[in-house]
Structures are given as structure tokens and as C-alpha cells.
Amino acid sequence: MAKIIDGKTIAKEFSEQIKKRVDEIKSRGIEPRIAMIRVGENPASDKYISVKEKLAAEVGISSVVYKFGSVVKEREIADLIFQLNEDKKVHAILLQSPLPKNLQFRAFVNLIHPNKDVDGLTTINQGKLFSGEPGIAPCTPLGILHLLRTVCEDVAGRHAVVLGRSSIVGRPLAQLLLNANCTVTLLHSYSKDLPEICRTADILVSAVGKPLFVGKEFIKPGATVIDVGINRIEQNGSSKIVGDVDFNDVFDVAEAITPVPNGVGPMTVAHLMHNTLKLACYY
Ligand code: NDP
């Protein structure tokens, strides 16, 4: 039976530490502030933004949300980002993904000043991560590494297999794991023999966005399994959220596993606050 890695509790403890640091910098006259931009009508994005606003309030970070409808001129989004880049009261800017299909996420992300790029997605911050320089790394991969360290203090020398190579999760996570001296294999939709390769993993992270994609045939006995996927499925006439990993199938084989929900999700939001704090302290 696997140990369940309780992301909700770990994120709560981490948020309490963040709050203490926020109180400390406020007493020195710094008021950390995050600006979040949502474009288009997307109920999931609205939900994520409200979770972020709630945690920001809990840890004492002030937040402001800018909402654009689906019909918006590119210039309006760009002008807002330029204005926030110049605003000395704003330390962190988040562009919530996805954007409507006609707008290119990376083009807008790269308008954010790298010193305010709270999710570490600008090409400059991604370059720093890839060259091992200090900078701001993306929140979900940071949260995953944080969870891993709760079950495995030193990940050096472990074989980590990452399923999925997006610029938000898979690629930066592979780089963070490499920087932590793991041996890393990055798999994607063109990769062959997935179960066989995954069975060589001491650490398996799935970020493909396919419900119950990873079964026990992917798992080496004793492996740590991190499930990033958030997938909505219909079951018995109602809808529910499941991960990429078939939790029940894998439970008896893995050494440790994250649940969905309450695994990686809360850690992403906690690291968003931690990155905001870092930006407020640095710049
Ligand atoms: P993307 O759709 O951007 O990337 C998915 C990746 O999975 C791609 O690299 C794709 O390969 C790969 N892939 C797709 N199908 C297969 C397959 N059959 N075999 C192997 N690889 C495959 O997704 P994201 O990275 O943005 O998100 C992944 C999941 O994580 C989603 O469910 C998302 O909701 C969730 N998520 C959760 C977060 C959290 O905080 N918990 C935060 C961010 C995302 P290729 O590149 O070849 O197309």
C-alpha cells in the first residue's frame, strides 16, 4: 500500500510559513501584491483565479484581478501588461492560461517584465532555469519538487521519468529535476514503449491530461508517483475530477502517490504565493 502524499496539508503548512514571511516584510514597509489577468470566458480559469485570490488573502498578499471577455483587442491586453510592468505597487503578474484560441499565450507572457513574471514562463526566466541560474521557476514544477522532497529528502541519482513536455509543466520540471541531480527521461506523444520506460522510474510524474492513462503496468514497485493531471470525466451520470493516474490500480505497487484532487493542485497555488513573496523581496 502506497503512502498518500497529502498536498493539501503540505500546502497549508507551507502557506503558514509564507504568511509569517509576508508579515515580516510588511513590517518593513513592503506590501506584496499580485495582479492576475484572465482573458475569455472559461469557468475553470475563474475557479483557479478565485482559489488564488483566497489564498493570497489568507497569507496577507494583496491581489487584483483584471478580466477581459473573449472579444478583446490584443492591444488592450498588451497595454495592461505594460501598465502593470511600470506599476511599482505590483510585484507579480500572472496571465491565466488558457487564452482564447486566437491569442498566442507565449507572445503575451513574454510582454511581462521578467522581474514580475510570477510563474517563471517568460523566455528569460525559462532560459535561467535551463542554464541553472537563479530566477523564478514555474509554480507547478516547484510544487512537485516540494512534494517529492517530503518523501525523498535527496532525489540525486534517482531516475525521474516525466510524461508530458509542455512549457508550463513537463519541460521546466525535467529541468528542475536535472538541476537537483536526477537522471531524467522526458516522454511525449511520439515516445514509444511508454510502460516499459516508465517501469524504470524511481520517480514517475504524469502531466499528459488524459484520465486514468497510467496504470500499474507503468509502475516499478517502490516508485514515487506524482499525478499532475486534472481531468473532468462523466461517471454514473455525474461529473468528477480524476488525474492521469489510475489511483486504485497503482496504489498497491507504488511506494508513495499523490491523490487528485488535493495533491499537486494546492501546491501550485502555494508556490504562486511564495514566488510573489520572492519577487516582492528581490525587486
Ligand atoms: P499540455 O496539453 O500542454 O501537454 C500535454 C503533454 O502530454 C504534451 O507534451 C503531449 O505530448 C503529452 N501527451 C499527450 N498524449 C500523450 C500520450 N498518449 N503519450 C505520451 N505523452 C502524451 O498539458 P499541460 O502540461 O498544460 O497539462 C497536463 C495536465 O496537467 C492537464 O490535465 C492539466 O489540467 C494538468 N495541470 C495541472 C496543474 C496543477 O496545478 N495540478 C497545473 C497545470 C496543468 P506532445 O508534446 O507530443 O503533444
Side-chain angles (χ1 to χ4, degrees), residues 31 34 60-61 93 104 123 139 141 158 167 202 210 241 252 273 276:
E31 293 279 333
I34 181 170
I61 290 175
I93 304 171
Q104 272 197 13
T123 300
C139 302
R158 307 282 174 118
S167 60
D202 304 308
K210 295 208 181 308
I241 298 287
D252 285 336
M273 298 309 140
T276 303

Side-chain angles (χ1 to χ4, degrees), residues 179-201:
N179 295 353
N181 298 320
C182 284
T183 303
V184 182
T185 304
L186 188 54
L187 302 175
H188 47 79
S189 67
Y190 291 80
S191 301
K192 305 232 183 314
D193 306 321
L194 293 186
E196 196 183 335
I197 297 170
C198 291
R199 274 201 309 275
T200 66

Side-chain angles (χ1 to χ4, degrees), residues 14 19 24 35 47 64 101 105 119 137 143 146 173 180 186 191 203 205 216 219 230:
F14 187 46
K19 183 174 185 333
E24 196 185 299
K47 171 92 195 303
V64 55
K101 284 204 174 68
F105 183 75
D119 207 6
H146 188 147
L173 174 64
L186 188 54
S191 301
I203 296 164
V205 182
K216 64 169 177 263
I219 312 296
I230 302 175

Side-chain angles (χ1 to χ4, degrees), residues 125-136:
N125 279 322
Q126 295 218 321
K128 285 184 177 177
L129 176 64
F130 282 59
S131 60
E133 290 173 48
I136 292 290

Side-chain angles (χ1 to χ4, degrees), residues 48 140 163-166 168-170 187-190 194 207-210 213 228-231 244 264-265 268:
Y48 294 141
T140 300
L163 275 161
R165 59 172 168 179
S166 71
I168 292 178
V169 188
L187 302 175
H188 47 79
S189 67
Y190 291 80
L194 293 186
V208 294
K210 295 208 181 308
F213 182 74
V228 188
I230 302 175
N231 309 293
D244 289 349
V264 174
T268 296

